Amino acid sequence: MKLKIAVLPGDGIGCEITEQALGVIKVVCEKFGHDLSYNKALIGASAIEAVGNPYPDTTHAICMESDAVLFGAIGHPKYDTNPTSEMRPEQGLLEMRKKLGLYANIRPVVTSPYLLFKSPLRANFIDNVDFICIRELTGGIYFGVPQGRSEDGKTAYDTCIYTTIEINRIVRLAYDYAMQRKKKLTIVDKANVLATSRLWRQVSRKIEEEYPEVETEYMFVDNAAMKILQTPKYFDVIVTENMFGDILTDEAAVITGSLGVLPSASIGTHTSVFEPIHGSYPQAAGKNIANPLGAILSAALMFEYAFKLYHEGKLIREAVNASIMASVVTEDIAKNKKFYKTSEVGQWIVNYISKRYMLKKNL
Ligand code: IPM
Ligand code: MN
């Protein structure tokens, strides 16, 4: 199969981790006989530095003509210290989401038995946790207009907007996922306060009627925030609006023991984007210490979601689990004093994949 991908490393540790993920993609393509071609492009702070735009048109064009986008991370502290700065790296990411129509962000939350010790939560509460969070990604308070400040600078405002079309497509997508899983959907909102949430409920209740097999539950976001940590095994598919989803998925990362291992897929009208949920971790940039597993698992999602190549995705997941079992991991998830560099973990996984496949072929 021909695979044409765009690689957008972004900022901070983005370069190091996408390099490892790309290495994994290359070896998988070699072993399965896929014809891989890729283009690298700028986004975020590095794009501002180079061309004065966090999401240059050339980058958008490369994304549009690719079958999938591998994305690293975005953000630089330089822009955080100046709250009024006109151009921010994050705008690049938001613009990409909007222009590619990436309305659904899918974040699987699955615990690994070998990482339970990293979580501050008790092991018997978090073993075998397996749910997915579906976050609406192109609407809500992230994009609502007006957004800004009054002339005297003493008032600031953001606007949360949702249309029935936006709610409809994301909730339907969530039901489709629920149908393929345990047929249980939790719709998270704040309908006791927000008008947008009340519209979510109204639209959702209509769709609910079309899926009688699915057990639907509506839950307020504050309650959901508590339940996710208290009884994570309770959940199967969660769907929620943009900002709630952003917050709940970082929270959910605590269950898995590390933000560094969680991948995500953003899908919508144009090319899908695959990225780890962690940020650009600027303090670690260039040190070869960042955890590449979130990016490598995002590559697994890329094979599965963008190319429907399930064996390839499964093999990557198997290799990642093997690296964890063999304790070939970065410091953040190391059990003992011995830990490995970003590139060593990546290389170990690449080697595993090349060997594993040869074994299979010999069978
Ligand atoms: C994420 C990030 C982004 C978001 C930031 C970098 C704009 O936190 O992908 O979760 O808030 O969506
Ligand atoms: Mn976030």
Side-chain angles (χ1 to χ4, degrees):
M1 187 171 171
K2 264 192 157 57
L3 314 187
K4 187 174 179 188
I5 68 171
V7 180
L8 275 50
D11 308 322
I13 57 167
C15 271
E16 296 146 67
I17 54 153
T18 45
E19 198 185 313
Q20 299 314 314
L22 188 58
V24 170
I25 293 171
K26 281 181 187 163
V27 70
V28 168
C29 285
E30 260 171 45
K31 292 298 159 187
F32 283 82
H34 300 306
D35 175 9
L36 173 76
S37 65
Y38 65 92
N39 278 309
K40 284 199 174 174
L42 291 168
I43 191 163
S46 44
I48 298 178
E49 302 293 319
V51 294
N53 179 350
Y55 187 57
D57 289 344
T58 47
T59 299
H60 182 59
I62 287 174
C63 290
M64 287 296 282
E65 67 193 28
S66 302
D67 305 316
V69 178
L70 179 71
F71 186 92
I74 229 169
H76 193 284
K78 186 176 139 188
Y79 300 89
D80 293 337
T81 48
N82 180 5
T84 54
S85 91
E86 283 289 292
M87 218 177 269
R88 299 175 50 77
E90 289 79 3
Q91 283 169 343
L93 179 59
L94 299 184
E95 214 182 307
M96 177 184 75
R97 287 174 181 169
K98 198 76 180 176
K99 283 193 172 163
L100 294 179
L102 303 171
Y103 62 83
N105 182 227
I106 295 156
R107 299 184 167 184
V109 181
V110 183
T111 49
S112 155
Y114 305 98
L115 291 179
L116 295 183
F117 77 99
K118 278 306 291 184
S119 175
L121 301 169
R122 280 203 296 280
N124 59 326
F125 280 87
I126 55 171
D127 58 344
N128 300 314
V129 163
D130 179 357
F131 65 88
I132 59 171
C133 248
I134 300 179
R135 165 186 175 193
E136 200 290 328
L137 203 60
T138 50
I141 203 163
Y142 271 65
F143 292 94
V145 180
Q147 179 191 64
R149 289 207 188 186
S150 62
E151 253 166 49
D152 66 4
K154 288 184 180 162
T155 309
Y157 41 86
D158 297 282
T159 310
C160 187
I161 300 182
Y162 269 108
T163 64
T164 51
I165 294 172
E166 288 171 321
I167 301 165
N168 198 49
R169 65 184 176 189
I170 189 83
V171 173
R172 272 182 196 285
L173 186 116
Y175 271 104
D176 290 341
Y177 274 85
M179 285 298 285
Q180 287 161 35
R181 295 177 52 107
K182 291 187 194 146
K183 300 192 169 61
K184 183 174 169 186
L185 178 65
T186 309
I187 302 177
V188 173
D189 62 27
K190 188 72 185 171
N192 51 347
V193 177
L194 303 176
T196 43
S197 287
R198 287 191 286 275
L199 187 62
W200 269 72
R201 279 207 187 190
Q202 189 186 318
V203 172
S204 302
R205 286 204 198 283
K206 278 244 171 68
I207 304 169
E208 186 186 340
E209 287 168 16
E210 295 172 37
Y211 293 87
E213 284 165 72
V214 177
E215 181 195 336
T216 304
E217 183 182 25
Y218 297 85
M219 195 181 279
F220 294 142
V221 63
D222 45 354
N223 187 219
M226 185 183 69
K227 273 202 119 140
I228 280 178
L229 293 187
Q230 203 176 40
T231 48
K233 282 184 238 189
Y234 178 83
F235 296 99
D236 189 53
V237 180
I238 297 175
V239 64
T240 190
E241 63 100 66
N242 203 344
M243 174 79 108
F244 297 161
D246 178 47
I247 299 167
L248 291 182
T249 49
D250 262 34
E251 188 198 12
V254 174
I255 303 166
T256 64
S258 171
L259 197 60
V261 300
L262 287 189
S264 86
S266 301
I267 59 178
T269 29
H270 302 291
T271 321
S272 300
V273 174
F274 301 86
E275 57 173 307
I277 89 157
H278 62 69
S280 59
Y281 191 17
Q283 307 87 315
K287 293 189 182 156
N288 202 14
I289 58 169
N291 193 337
L293 297 187
I296 292 172
L297 289 169
S298 298
L301 289 183
M302 172 187 280
F303 279 105
E304 293 162 349
Y305 283 60
F307 302 111
K308 310 278 176 234
L309 295 171
Y310 298 102
H311 292 299
E312 287 79 342
K314 202 172 154 214
L315 179 56
I316 296 176
R317 240 182 278 283
E318 181 192 312
V320 165
N321 283 334
S323 78
I324 297 172
M325 264 185 336
S327 297
V328 182
V329 291
T330 44
E331 189 174 6
D332 56 315
I333 55 169
K335 207 166 206 163
N336 35 46
K337 289 216 175 74
K338 174 90 183 119
F339 51 84
Y340 293 78
K341 300 265 181 212
T342 311
S343 53
E344 290 171 333
V345 174
Q347 195 53 52
W348 193 95
I349 291 171
V350 165
N351 292 344
Y352 179 96
I353 290 174
S354 51
K355 275 193 247 154
R356 176 74 172 82
Y357 188 70
M358 287 198 310
L359 277 174
K360 242 184 159 178
K361 226 167 77 175
N362 290 343
L363 281 174

